[in-house]
Amino acid sequence: MSAGNWLVASVMAHLDENPALAPLRLFDFVPSRFSYPWAHVEDASLSAIDGAGVRGRVGTLAIQCRDAGERPTRLRTLVARLEEQMEALDPDLGEGWRLGGCALAGSRIVRGKDEWVARSVWAVRVFRVN
């Protein structure tokens, strides 16, 4: 698997069914039907920054959270918890890939047609020693 796939798999394993995020359900795809609240881990957007004897990738990873309701109060709480949990990611992603850094780059909540949508983006660095 690629570095991006290992990163998404690691995020899914760490966050899915995490008691701190209840009742949020996490997917690596946009579900056609599911009760609120739910979140979608987007594919990572990574660029190569290889060095001598090291394969490296740098880029972003985004997670969209969605919830219904008059106000985004519950969504704000869930996004804050999600951002806290992202700081505790295991640096070992698998197949030799390691997380070198994961920092929140931006977060925003907007009103959609029938729902609230939050999008948090993290700047990430991953590497693997050849």
Side-chain angles (χ1 to χ4, degrees):
M1 277 196 308
S2 70
N5 290 344
W6 281 109
L7 178 61
V8 170
S10 181
V11 168
M12 289 293 299
H14 180 69
L15 298 179
D16 194 30
E17 298 185 27
N18 185 320
L21 298 176
L24 186 70
R25 292 287 303 158
L26 201 69
F27 301 93
D28 58 356
F29 60 92
V30 177
S32 59
R33 285 188 250 236
F34 203 83
S35 60
Y36 292 108
W38 59 269
H40 166 229
V41 179
E42 298 177 11
D43 286 335
S45 175
L46 302 174
S47 298
I49 54 167
D50 298 335
V54 177
R55 294 180 70 191
R57 303 290 182 264
V58 63
T60 59
L61 176 76
I63 301 176
Q64 281 193 28
C65 300
R66 295 173 184 258
D67 198 7
E70 181 83 15
R71 297 174 41 195
T73 307
R74 179 171 70 168
L75 186 61
R76 283 190 190 112
T77 302
L78 290 171
V79 168
R81 289 182 191 161
L82 178 99
E83 291 171 357
E84 288 173 5
Q85 292 300 313
M86 283 294 289
E87 293 175 8
L89 274 176
D90 184 354
D92 183 15
L93 302 177
E95 205 173 274
W97 286 102
R98 302 227 6 120
L99 183 64
C102 181
L104 184 64
S107 186
R108 179 178 174 187
I109 297 177
V110 296
R111 179 76 174 151
K113 183 179 177 185
D114 297 323
E115 63 190 357
W116 290 96
V117 180
R119 188 167 192 264
S120 299
V121 180
W122 285 269
V124 294
R125 289 180 177 266
V126 295
F127 66 92
R128 178 170 73 182
V129 177
N130 294 335

